[in-house]
Amino acid sequence: MERATSNEANAHYNDEILFLDGVVEFHPEVYDTLPNEEKELLQAYYLVGQPIPENIFEYRNNLLREQPDIEAKAKTAFIKLLESLDIDEFTYSTKVADSL
């Protein structure tokens, strides 16, 4: 089963999800200022406000197969949200596990 520490893409995705969850919980007014299309992208790609599947990384992989452009669009919405919070650079904290 894939994990947040399986690879860099999963690690970054994990950190972005955790950040968005915090924004929605503690600063919903910022999230609410996004256009509906961007909220829908964040909901679909990052599962903001959605039920979490058993394997979120498998969900993302399947979504990318079905909608190859959704990652780029969701990342653009993510960056726009960061800018609205005056965050110039997002810091990732989840580290990729060393493979043996």
XYZ file of all heavy atoms in Angstrom:
819
model
N 0.848 -1.178 0.000
C 0.000 0.000 0.000
C 0.892 1.239 0.000
O 1.848 1.325 0.754
C -0.908 -0.015 1.230
C -1.747 1.234 1.354
S -2.725 1.331 2.872
C -4.215 0.512 2.348
N 0.546 2.179 -0.847
C 1.303 3.434 -0.891
C 1.069 4.221 0.392
O 0.008 4.168 0.992
C 0.850 4.291 -2.075
C 1.427 3.861 -3.388
C 1.162 4.899 -4.450
O 1.955 5.853 -4.547
O 0.153 4.757 -5.145
N 2.109 4.953 0.768
C 2.043 5.791 1.964
C 2.569 7.181 1.633
O 3.177 7.389 0.591
C 2.889 5.183 3.080
C 2.429 3.820 3.501
C 3.436 3.224 4.482
N 3.082 1.855 4.772
C 2.412 1.472 5.832
N 2.047 2.353 6.725
N 2.110 0.213 6.022
N 2.375 8.094 2.557
C 2.881 9.456 2.366
C 4.391 9.461 2.192
O 4.937 10.339 1.534
C 2.488 10.342 3.543
N 5.054 8.482 2.755
C 6.512 8.442 2.682
C 7.024 7.574 1.535
O 8.227 7.372 1.415
C 7.088 7.929 4.010
O 6.530 6.643 4.300
C 6.779 8.893 5.147
N 6.145 7.078 0.676
C 6.554 6.197 -0.421
C 7.396 6.920 -1.466
O 8.310 6.348 -2.032
C 5.345 5.576 -1.106
O 4.654 4.727 -0.223
N 7.050 8.171 -1.760
C 7.782 8.945 -2.768
C 7.510 10.431 -2.530
O 6.669 10.805 -1.720
C 7.392 8.515 -4.189
C 5.905 8.622 -4.434
O 5.303 9.676 -4.255
N 5.283 7.523 -4.849
N 8.258 11.258 -3.241
C 8.142 12.702 -3.033
C 6.752 13.235 -3.401
O 6.212 14.111 -2.726
C 9.214 13.436 -3.835
C 9.275 14.908 -3.500
C 10.444 15.606 -4.154
O 11.546 15.534 -3.595
O 10.226 16.208 -5.228
N 6.173 12.711 -4.469
C 4.834 13.169 -4.877
C 3.821 12.911 -3.763
O 2.997 13.775 -3.453
C 4.405 12.494 -6.173
N 3.873 11.733 -3.158
C 2.954 11.425 -2.059
C 3.233 12.300 -0.848
O 2.301 12.771 -0.191
C 3.071 9.960 -1.655
C 2.413 9.013 -2.623
O 1.889 9.423 -3.654
N 2.445 7.732 -2.318
N 4.500 12.533 -0.550
C 4.866 13.357 0.605
C 4.331 14.778 0.435
O 3.749 15.351 1.361
C 6.377 13.358 0.788
N 4.513 15.339 -0.751
C 4.031 16.697 -1.003
C 2.499 16.756 -0.965
O 1.918 17.681 -0.387
C 4.548 17.204 -2.344
C 5.997 17.549 -2.307
N 6.639 18.129 -3.364
C 6.947 17.405 -1.345
C 7.913 18.334 -3.054
N 8.121 17.885 -1.838
N 1.866 15.765 -1.573
C 0.401 15.693 -1.583
C -0.126 15.627 -0.145
O -1.072 16.325 0.218
C -0.012 14.462 -2.387
C -1.475 14.220 -2.573
C -2.264 15.066 -3.337
C -2.081 13.094 -2.022
C -3.613 14.810 -3.543
C -3.425 12.825 -2.230
C -4.190 13.691 -2.981
O -5.517 13.426 -3.177
N 0.513 14.817 0.681
C 0.125 14.676 2.079
C 0.207 16.024 2.799
O -0.732 16.428 3.493
C 1.038 13.653 2.763
C 0.673 13.411 4.204
O -0.375 12.870 4.496
N 1.546 13.828 5.100
N 1.326 16.715 2.642
C 1.496 18.007 3.302
C 0.471 19.026 2.807
O -0.056 19.817 3.589
C 2.904 18.547 3.069
C 3.963 17.808 3.872
O 3.605 16.971 4.734
O 5.158 18.061 3.626
N 0.200 19.022 1.519
C -0.773 19.958 0.957
C -2.172 19.687 1.500
O -2.911 20.620 1.834
C -0.746 19.888 -0.570
C 0.556 20.442 -1.144
C 0.827 20.040 -2.577
O 0.038 19.290 -3.179
O 1.866 20.492 -3.118
N -2.529 18.414 1.611
C -3.838 18.057 2.171
C -3.951 18.528 3.620
O -4.961 19.121 4.021
C -4.094 16.540 2.076
C -4.427 16.159 0.642
C -5.208 16.099 3.017
C -4.588 14.674 0.417
N -2.927 18.247 4.408
C -2.951 18.652 5.813
C -3.066 20.170 5.946
O -3.808 20.683 6.793
C -1.705 18.139 6.540
C -1.624 16.619 6.693
C -0.275 16.215 7.276
C -2.765 16.094 7.549
N -2.343 20.895 5.103
C -2.411 22.354 5.121
C -3.827 22.826 4.778
O -4.389 23.681 5.467
C -1.391 22.945 4.144
C -1.447 24.433 4.074
C -0.848 25.216 5.047
C -2.120 25.069 3.039
C -0.906 26.604 4.989
C -2.184 26.453 2.971
C -1.574 27.217 3.948
N -4.393 22.281 3.712
C -5.742 22.690 3.299
C -6.771 22.376 4.371
O -7.681 23.181 4.617
C -6.119 22.016 1.981
C -5.429 22.588 0.747
C -5.649 21.674 -0.452
C -5.924 23.994 0.459
N -6.637 21.226 5.024
C -7.552 20.894 6.118
C -7.485 21.954 7.218
O -8.502 22.363 7.762
C -7.232 19.520 6.706
C -7.676 18.370 5.831
O -8.470 18.591 4.881
O -7.219 17.232 6.079
N -6.262 22.415 7.516
C -6.095 23.450 8.529
C -6.703 24.770 8.105
O -7.330 25.463 8.911
N -6.537 25.122 6.837
C -7.126 26.371 6.336
C -8.648 26.310 6.456
O -9.275 27.255 6.948
C -6.708 26.643 4.875
C -7.544 27.775 4.272
C -5.226 26.981 4.793
N -9.232 25.213 6.017
C -10.690 25.081 6.067
C -11.188 25.110 7.508
O -12.210 25.721 7.812
C -11.151 23.801 5.339
C -12.612 23.525 5.576
C -10.866 23.922 3.845
N -10.435 24.482 8.412
C -10.858 24.436 9.814
C -10.668 25.768 10.536
O -11.543 26.211 11.272
C -10.087 23.345 10.558
C -10.541 23.170 11.989
C -9.893 21.999 12.692
O -9.255 21.158 12.031
O -10.037 21.927 13.924
N -9.517 26.408 10.318
C -9.188 27.597 11.104
C -9.376 28.921 10.373
O -9.449 29.973 10.999
C -7.750 27.492 11.626
C -7.565 26.326 12.551
C -6.859 25.204 12.137
C -8.111 26.335 13.823
C -6.695 24.119 12.982
C -7.954 25.253 14.680
C -7.240 24.140 14.256
N -9.424 28.884 9.042
C -9.610 30.111 8.255
C -10.597 29.864 7.108
O -10.278 30.111 5.947
C -8.265 30.600 7.690
C -7.260 30.904 8.731
N -7.360 32.012 9.542
C -6.150 30.233 9.114
C -6.334 32.010 10.387
N -5.591 30.950 10.148
N -11.799 29.407 7.427
C -12.756 29.095 6.358
C -13.092 30.310 5.494
O -13.424 30.173 4.323
C -13.993 28.578 7.104
C -13.855 29.108 8.495
C -12.373 29.219 8.757
N -12.955 31.508 6.061
C -13.253 32.718 5.293
C -12.294 32.884 4.112
O -12.675 33.400 3.072
C -13.229 33.964 6.188
C -11.862 34.384 6.706
C -11.290 33.561 7.865
O -11.945 32.620 8.353
O -10.152 33.877 8.276
N -11.065 32.401 4.258
C -10.093 32.469 3.167
C -10.476 31.472 2.080
O -10.498 31.805 0.892
C -8.663 32.193 3.685
C -7.676 32.112 2.538
C -8.246 33.261 4.680
N -10.796 30.265 2.489
C -11.213 29.242 1.531
C -12.479 29.682 0.803
O -12.597 29.494 -0.411
C -11.427 27.907 2.254
C -11.888 26.794 1.353
C -11.006 26.162 0.493
C -13.220 26.377 1.353
C -11.429 25.142 -0.349
C -13.647 25.358 0.523
C -12.747 24.745 -0.326
O -13.170 23.740 -1.149
N -13.397 30.283 1.526
C -14.676 30.692 0.937
C -14.532 31.792 -0.105
O -15.432 31.983 -0.929
C -15.656 31.139 2.031
C -16.165 29.973 2.863
O -16.090 28.813 2.396
O -16.630 30.228 4.002
N -13.429 32.512 -0.104
C -13.238 33.572 -1.106
C -12.831 33.013 -2.474
O -12.881 33.742 -3.462
C -12.165 34.595 -0.661
O -10.910 33.937 -0.546
C -12.555 35.261 0.640
N -12.441 31.751 -2.526
C -12.060 31.152 -3.815
C -13.286 31.009 -4.711
O -14.391 30.736 -4.225
C -11.443 29.770 -3.608
C -10.088 29.699 -2.928
C -9.719 28.243 -2.659
C -9.031 30.369 -3.779
N -13.099 31.164 -6.006
C -14.205 30.902 -6.936
C -14.647 29.435 -6.832
O -13.850 28.556 -6.493
C -13.600 31.185 -8.312
C -12.390 32.012 -8.053
C -11.903 31.631 -6.693
N -15.896 29.175 -7.140
C -16.446 27.817 -7.035
C -15.642 26.803 -7.842
O -15.441 25.670 -7.392
C -17.920 27.784 -7.458
C -18.816 28.392 -6.408
O -18.474 28.445 -5.225
N -19.968 28.867 -6.827
N -15.186 27.177 -9.020
C -14.420 26.244 -9.849
C -13.142 25.790 -9.129
O -12.782 24.615 -9.171
C -14.058 26.896 -11.187
C -13.267 25.980 -12.093
C -12.898 26.643 -13.411
O -13.473 27.682 -13.768
O -12.006 26.107 -14.080
N -12.477 26.718 -8.462
C -11.254 26.366 -7.737
C -11.568 25.517 -6.508
O -10.838 24.586 -6.191
C -10.483 27.622 -7.368
C -9.888 28.271 -8.605
C -9.215 29.597 -8.338
O -9.281 30.114 -7.201
O -8.616 30.117 -9.295
N -12.662 25.819 -5.823
C -13.071 24.983 -4.686
C -13.359 23.563 -5.157
O -12.979 22.591 -4.497
C -14.312 25.563 -4.010
C -14.044 26.772 -3.176
C -15.319 27.124 -2.437
C -15.461 28.590 -2.265
N -16.730 28.982 -1.689
N -14.038 23.434 -6.295
C -14.350 22.110 -6.839
C -13.076 21.336 -7.183
O -12.996 20.128 -6.961
C -15.255 22.238 -8.059
C -16.656 22.677 -7.708
C -17.502 23.048 -8.916
O -17.069 22.835 -10.063
O -18.611 23.572 -8.703
N -12.077 22.023 -7.719
C -10.795 21.372 -8.013
C -10.134 20.881 -6.729
O -9.639 19.743 -6.668
C -9.853 22.343 -8.731
C -10.147 22.603 -10.188
C -9.379 23.822 -10.684
C -9.812 21.380 -11.027
N -10.123 21.724 -5.705
C -9.519 21.333 -4.428
C -10.297 20.192 -3.778
O -9.703 19.294 -3.178
C -9.424 22.538 -3.491
C -8.510 23.666 -3.957
C -8.600 24.852 -2.993
C -7.076 23.203 -4.116
N -11.599 20.209 -3.927
C -12.415 19.128 -3.380
C -12.138 17.811 -4.091
O -12.029 16.764 -3.454
C -13.898 19.475 -3.477
C -14.316 20.579 -2.536
C -15.701 21.125 -2.823
O -16.355 20.739 -3.782
N -16.138 22.060 -1.995
N -12.007 17.863 -5.404
C -11.778 16.636 -6.172
C -10.364 16.105 -5.987
O -10.169 14.910 -5.755
C -12.051 16.884 -7.657
N -9.370 16.984 -6.094
C -7.980 16.525 -6.057
C -7.482 16.283 -4.632
O -6.841 15.278 -4.343
C -7.074 17.530 -6.767
C -5.647 17.058 -6.882
C -5.305 16.017 -7.739
C -4.635 17.636 -6.129
C -3.997 15.575 -7.841
C -3.332 17.204 -6.233
C -3.022 16.168 -7.091
O -1.726 15.725 -7.182
N -7.771 17.217 -3.736
C -7.285 17.114 -2.360
C -8.339 16.601 -1.381
O -8.066 16.495 -0.193
C -6.793 18.474 -1.869
C -5.560 18.982 -2.567
C -5.628 20.060 -3.433
C -4.316 18.400 -2.352
C -4.496 20.557 -4.060
C -3.182 18.883 -2.975
C -3.276 19.955 -3.831
O -2.144 20.441 -4.458
N -9.533 16.346 -1.868
C -10.630 15.824 -1.055
C -11.034 16.771 0.075
O -11.449 16.334 1.143
C -10.268 14.443 -0.499
C -10.091 13.378 -1.571
C -9.388 12.158 -1.024
C -11.426 13.000 -2.170
N -10.928 18.075 -0.161
C -11.335 19.062 0.835
C -12.829 18.888 1.109
O -13.653 18.967 0.208
C -11.038 20.500 0.351
C -11.623 21.528 1.309
C -9.544 20.702 0.180
N -13.152 18.622 2.364
C -14.546 18.460 2.762
C -15.214 17.183 2.260
O -16.434 17.059 2.342
N -14.428 16.259 1.749
C -14.961 15.025 1.186
C -14.567 13.838 2.071
O -13.586 13.908 2.806
C -14.400 14.798 -0.225
C -14.631 15.935 -1.184
C -16.093 16.237 -1.396
O -16.889 15.345 -1.649
N -16.455 17.494 -1.290
N -15.306 12.731 1.963
C -14.893 11.526 2.696
C -13.537 11.047 2.174
O -13.257 11.138 0.984
C -15.987 10.502 2.374
C -17.076 11.246 1.681
C -16.534 12.554 1.212
N -12.711 10.561 3.073
C -11.373 10.109 2.710
C -11.421 8.618 2.380
O -11.873 7.811 3.180
C -10.384 10.355 3.875
C -10.393 11.826 4.291
C -8.979 9.894 3.502
C -10.008 12.799 3.202
N -10.939 8.252 1.194
C -10.913 6.828 0.829
C -9.872 6.071 1.652
O -8.979 6.689 2.263
C -10.526 6.846 -0.654
C -9.851 8.151 -0.867
C -10.405 9.105 0.142
N -9.969 4.762 1.648
C -9.035 3.931 2.411
C -7.588 4.209 2.005
O -6.702 4.297 2.847
C -9.368 2.455 2.222
C -8.518 1.545 3.072
C -8.934 0.103 2.966
O -10.141 -0.174 2.834
O -8.037 -0.748 3.010
N -7.340 4.329 0.711
C -5.998 4.630 0.233
C -6.066 5.902 -0.611
O -6.397 5.854 -1.797
C -5.418 3.469 -0.569
C -3.979 3.697 -0.957
O -3.525 4.834 -1.117
N -3.236 2.608 -1.116
N -5.734 7.013 0.000
C -5.853 8.311 -0.665
C -4.892 8.430 -1.847
O -5.186 9.097 -2.829
C -5.644 9.448 0.357
C -6.120 10.776 -0.221
C -4.220 9.511 0.847
C -6.254 11.877 0.801
N -3.757 7.755 -1.780
C -2.775 7.857 -2.860
C -3.224 7.057 -4.081
O -3.016 7.474 -5.217
C -1.398 7.433 -2.357
C -0.987 8.247 -1.165
C -0.961 7.698 0.095
C -0.687 9.594 -1.308
C -0.627 8.467 1.200
C -0.349 10.379 -0.209
C -0.319 9.807 1.053
N -3.900 5.959 -3.843
C -4.496 5.205 -4.951
C -5.615 6.030 -5.589
O -5.755 6.060 -6.806
C -5.043 3.874 -4.438
C -5.615 2.992 -5.522
C -6.110 1.665 -4.959
O -5.339 1.019 -4.238
O -7.275 1.317 -5.235
N -6.399 6.721 -4.746
C -7.450 7.604 -5.247
C -6.842 8.636 -6.186
O -7.321 8.874 -7.283
C -8.169 8.297 -4.082
C -9.013 9.478 -4.520
C -10.310 9.281 -4.981
C -8.500 10.781 -4.512
C -11.083 10.357 -5.409
C -9.256 11.850 -4.945
C -10.554 11.642 -5.390
O -11.295 12.704 -5.826
N -5.741 9.283 -5.734
C -5.099 10.309 -6.553
C -4.592 9.726 -7.871
O -4.781 10.304 -8.935
C -3.944 10.972 -5.809
C -3.334 12.117 -6.631
C -2.073 12.660 -6.049
N -1.032 11.681 -6.256
C 0.013 11.496 -5.470
N 0.173 12.224 -4.410
N 0.910 10.590 -5.736
N -3.963 8.566 -7.821
C -3.458 7.932 -9.047
C -4.591 7.651 -10.031
O -4.449 7.895 -11.237
C -2.700 6.645 -8.721
C -1.392 6.923 -8.014
O -0.817 7.993 -8.136
N -0.925 5.945 -7.259
N -5.710 7.146 -9.533
C -6.866 6.879 -10.406
C -7.435 8.175 -10.975
O -7.788 8.236 -12.157
C -7.952 6.116 -9.643
C -7.552 4.700 -9.339
O -6.737 4.091 -10.035
N -8.112 4.147 -8.270
N -7.512 9.196 -10.159
C -8.022 10.497 -10.606
C -7.144 11.065 -11.718
O -7.641 11.585 -12.711
C -8.094 11.463 -9.424
C -8.681 12.838 -9.694
C -10.155 12.741 -10.099
C -8.527 13.721 -8.463
N -5.828 10.937 -11.561
C -4.902 11.451 -12.576
C -5.021 10.695 -13.890
O -4.837 11.267 -14.964
C -3.466 11.399 -12.057
C -3.156 12.370 -10.927
C -1.752 12.126 -10.377
C -3.316 13.801 -11.372
N -5.329 9.420 -13.814
C -5.560 8.645 -15.049
C -6.830 9.116 -15.755
O -6.877 9.222 -16.971
C -5.657 7.150 -14.745
C -4.319 6.450 -14.665
C -4.454 4.945 -14.650
N -5.039 4.406 -13.437
C -4.392 4.246 -12.287
N -3.141 4.592 -12.182
N -4.992 3.733 -11.240
N -7.856 9.398 -14.974
C -9.142 9.822 -15.533
C -9.127 11.282 -15.997
O -9.777 11.626 -16.975
C -10.246 9.650 -14.480
C -10.524 8.213 -14.107
C -11.443 8.097 -12.902
O -12.020 9.116 -12.467
O -11.565 6.974 -12.375
N -8.415 12.145 -15.272
C -8.372 13.580 -15.571
C -6.920 14.066 -15.497
O -6.513 14.652 -14.500
C -9.210 14.356 -14.559
C -10.675 13.991 -14.534
C -11.408 14.796 -13.482
O -11.293 16.013 -13.418
N -12.167 14.117 -12.646
N -6.134 13.802 -16.535
C -4.698 14.107 -16.491
C -4.350 15.562 -16.162
O -3.283 15.825 -15.617
C -4.215 13.748 -17.895
C -5.242 12.843 -18.450
C -6.536 13.207 -17.796
N -5.227 16.500 -16.434
C -4.909 17.909 -16.189
C -5.342 18.413 -14.819
O -5.058 19.560 -14.456
C -5.518 18.785 -17.276
C -7.044 18.720 -17.297
O -7.620 17.747 -16.762
O -7.655 19.638 -17.863
N -5.977 17.577 -14.022
C -6.520 18.052 -12.741
C -5.423 18.430 -11.754
O -5.575 19.375 -10.990
C -7.505 17.047 -12.111
C -8.275 17.738 -10.989
C -6.790 15.769 -11.651
C -9.465 16.985 -10.477
N -4.297 17.747 -11.791
C -3.227 18.071 -10.848
C -2.717 19.496 -11.080
O -2.592 20.281 -10.133
C -2.079 17.080 -10.959
C -0.963 17.365 -9.969
C 0.111 16.310 -9.975
O 0.324 15.649 -11.021
O 0.746 16.140 -8.929
N -2.437 19.846 -12.305
C -1.933 21.193 -12.612
C -2.962 22.255 -12.223
O -2.607 23.299 -11.649
C -1.585 21.300 -14.093
N -4.223 22.006 -12.515
C -5.270 22.973 -12.175
C -5.432 23.101 -10.657
O -5.597 24.210 -10.136
C -6.594 22.556 -12.808
C -6.613 22.710 -14.320
C -7.934 22.248 -14.885
C -7.996 22.413 -16.389
N -9.276 21.938 -16.936
N -5.382 21.975 -9.948
C -5.522 22.006 -8.490
C -4.318 22.697 -7.848
O -4.474 23.454 -6.886
C -5.685 20.592 -7.940
N -3.133 22.470 -8.392
C -1.928 23.132 -7.860
C -2.024 24.646 -8.072
O -1.603 25.423 -7.214
C -0.671 22.589 -8.529
C -0.421 21.140 -8.228
C 0.651 20.967 -7.238
C 0.901 19.469 -7.072
N 1.708 19.187 -5.944
N -2.589 25.073 -9.190
C -2.782 26.503 -9.436
C -3.735 27.091 -8.405
O -3.488 28.175 -7.859
C -3.311 26.734 -10.865
O -2.333 26.239 -11.794
C -3.580 28.200 -11.135
N -4.816 26.382 -8.100
C -5.760 26.843 -7.078
C -5.091 26.862 -5.705
O -5.309 27.781 -4.905
C -6.997 25.953 -7.063
N -4.252 25.867 -5.427
C -3.515 25.798 -4.161
C -2.596 27.008 -4.023
O -2.552 27.666 -2.978
C -2.719 24.490 -4.103
C -1.970 24.277 -2.817
C -2.620 23.835 -1.682
C -0.606 24.505 -2.744
C -1.935 23.632 -0.492
C 0.096 24.313 -1.568
C -0.574 23.865 -0.435
N -1.874 27.327 -5.082
C -0.961 28.478 -5.071
C -1.743 29.775 -4.874
O -1.317 30.667 -4.130
C -0.115 28.508 -6.352
C 0.893 27.359 -6.326
C 0.588 29.851 -6.521
C 1.576 27.095 -7.647
N -2.891 29.883 -5.508
C -3.726 31.079 -5.342
C -4.163 31.224 -3.878
O -4.162 32.332 -3.332
C -4.944 30.994 -6.254
C -5.800 32.231 -6.240
C -6.898 32.158 -7.260
C -7.763 33.400 -7.230
N -8.853 33.330 -8.196
N -4.501 30.108 -3.249
C -4.882 30.138 -1.841
C -3.691 30.578 -0.982
O -3.841 31.396 -0.072
C -5.389 28.769 -1.398
C -5.857 28.667 0.043
C -7.137 29.470 0.242
C -6.080 27.224 0.424
N -2.504 30.042 -1.279
C -1.298 30.455 -0.552
C -1.082 31.960 -0.685
O -0.791 32.641 0.303
C -0.068 29.719 -1.079
C 0.030 28.230 -0.801
C 1.258 27.643 -1.489
C 0.049 27.931 0.689
N -1.217 32.466 -1.898
C -1.024 33.902 -2.139
C -2.027 34.739 -1.340
O -1.675 35.797 -0.824
C -1.136 34.209 -3.627
C 0.040 33.688 -4.427
C -0.160 33.772 -5.934
O -1.297 34.066 -6.392
O 0.826 33.527 -6.653
N -3.255 34.252 -1.233
C -4.256 35.009 -0.477
C -3.926 35.029 1.017
O -4.393 35.901 1.743
C -5.657 34.434 -0.706
O -5.805 33.189 -0.073
N -3.087 34.089 1.449
C -2.635 34.054 2.837
C -1.261 34.705 3.009
O -0.648 34.605 4.066
C -2.564 32.597 3.323
C -3.906 31.883 3.468
C -3.705 30.378 3.587
C -4.654 32.425 4.685
N -0.782 35.351 1.938
C 0.543 35.990 1.928
C 1.666 34.996 2.210
O 2.640 35.318 2.896
C 0.613 37.166 2.920
C -0.260 38.321 2.487
O -0.358 38.565 1.269
O -0.841 38.985 3.369
N 1.535 33.798 1.681
C 2.581 32.778 1.796
C 3.283 32.701 0.446
O 2.675 32.344 -0.559
C 1.992 31.405 2.184
C 1.314 31.505 3.554
C 3.072 30.322 2.169
C 0.549 30.262 3.973
N 4.554 33.064 0.441
C 5.329 33.078 -0.797
C 5.859 31.696 -1.166
O 6.030 31.388 -2.341
C 6.518 34.037 -0.682
C 6.068 35.484 -0.495
O 5.005 35.851 -1.028
O 6.782 36.226 0.196
N 6.160 30.899 -0.158
C 6.732 29.574 -0.418
C 6.171 28.576 0.583
O 6.181 28.820 1.791
C 8.255 29.624 -0.298
C 8.929 28.335 -0.656
C 10.438 28.444 -0.599
O 10.977 29.566 -0.645
O 11.071 27.384 -0.499
N 5.671 27.475 0.077
C 5.119 26.431 0.937
C 6.249 25.495 1.344
O 7.027 25.039 0.506
C 4.021 25.657 0.193
C 3.326 24.637 1.050
C 2.426 25.032 2.022
C 3.591 23.290 0.894
C 1.784 24.096 2.815
C 2.952 22.341 1.681
C 2.044 22.756 2.647
N 6.342 25.207 2.624
C 7.384 24.325 3.146
C 6.809 22.938 3.374
O 5.822 22.780 4.098
C 7.948 24.889 4.474
O 8.423 26.211 4.236
C 9.065 24.015 4.998
N 7.444 21.954 2.760
C 7.029 20.562 2.913
C 7.772 19.938 4.085
O 8.968 20.174 4.267
C 7.311 19.783 1.625
C 6.465 20.263 0.465
C 6.953 21.190 -0.449
C 5.166 19.804 0.314
C 6.164 21.636 -1.497
C 4.370 20.253 -0.723
C 4.875 21.173 -1.629
O 4.086 21.621 -2.655
N 7.054 19.143 4.875
C 7.680 18.546 6.054
C 7.730 17.018 6.010
O 8.585 16.425 6.658
C 6.959 18.996 7.324
O 5.607 18.597 7.285
N 6.840 16.374 5.273
C 6.864 14.916 5.197
C 8.083 14.487 4.409
O 8.328 14.961 3.299
C 5.581 14.368 4.541
O 4.449 14.811 5.291
C 5.590 12.853 4.486
N 8.847 13.590 4.982
C 10.072 13.098 4.339
C 9.819 11.741 3.705
O 9.086 10.918 4.241
C 11.202 12.977 5.365
C 11.511 14.270 6.102
C 12.023 15.330 5.169
C 12.368 16.594 5.934
N 12.189 17.788 5.191
N 10.465 11.518 2.577
C 10.380 10.234 1.885
C 11.233 9.225 2.640
O 12.369 9.529 3.020
C 10.857 10.357 0.425
C 10.858 9.021 -0.278
C 9.987 11.361 -0.313
N 10.674 8.037 2.855
C 11.400 6.985 3.560
C 12.509 6.446 2.682
O 12.362 6.328 1.462
C 10.451 5.860 3.955
N 13.623 6.140 3.303
C 14.726 5.496 2.581
C 14.294 4.086 2.221
O 13.768 3.362 3.054
C 15.983 5.433 3.445
C 16.570 6.797 3.721
O 16.386 7.685 2.857
O 17.188 6.976 4.780
N 14.481 3.724 0.959
C 14.133 2.373 0.546
C 15.328 1.466 0.764
O 16.478 1.839 0.538
C 13.693 2.344 -0.914
O 14.709 2.856 -1.726
N 15.054 0.284 1.228
C 16.125 -0.677 1.489
C 16.197 -1.708 0.400
O 15.330 -2.117 -0.198
C 15.906 -1.361 2.846
C 15.889 -0.408 4.043
C 15.544 -1.178 5.297
C 17.224 0.278 4.217
